[in-house]
């Protein structure tokens, strides 16, 4: 996301949260080739979708820097 590239990822673990529920990239079920291929083609073909995901992904990357996350964790750990 931080590189401004389209993201297609499997929906496992915290990936959905990292992609803001799919707003910053496309989520596909794990171990399913056809949906993966379809999602890659879709993000390549649909420039409006791609640009929307890229913009949101860059926004998320700017908000979730190492420094920002360290401050957030410190605020929780040290009230």
């Amino acid at each position: 996301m931080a590189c401004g590239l389209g993201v297609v990822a499997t929906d496992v673990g915290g990936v959905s949260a990292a992609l803001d529920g799919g707003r910053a990239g496309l989520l596909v079920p794990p171990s399913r080739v056809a949906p993966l291929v379809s999602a890659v083609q879709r993000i390549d073909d649909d420039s409006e979708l791609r640009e929307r995901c890229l913009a949101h992904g860059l926004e998320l990357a700017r908000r979730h820097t190492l420094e920002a996350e360290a401050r957030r964790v410190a605020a929780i750990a040290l009230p």
Side-chain angles (χ1 to χ4, degrees):
M1 289 186 311
C3 292
L5 299 173
V7 175
V8 175
T10 53
D11 192 4
V12 296
V15 174
S16 179
L19 292 179
D20 196 16
R23 292 181 56 213
L26 300 181
L27 295 165
V28 297
S31 303
R32 303 280 312 279
V33 175
L36 174 63
V37 171
S38 177
V40 170
Q41 289 174 332
R42 183 173 172 217
I43 205 156
D44 184 51
D45 293 341
D46 188 337
S47 61
E48 186 177 309
L49 170 67
R50 184 177 56 253
E51 292 304 318
R52 193 169 55 247
C53 287
L54 293 178
H56 192 66
L58 287 171
E59 177 188 332
L60 288 175
R62 286 185 191 107
R63 279 192 280 157
H64 296 283
T65 63
L66 179 59
E67 293 80 8
E69 291 303 306
R71 282 192 301 273
R72 184 183 65 79
V73 170
I76 294 168
L78 305 170

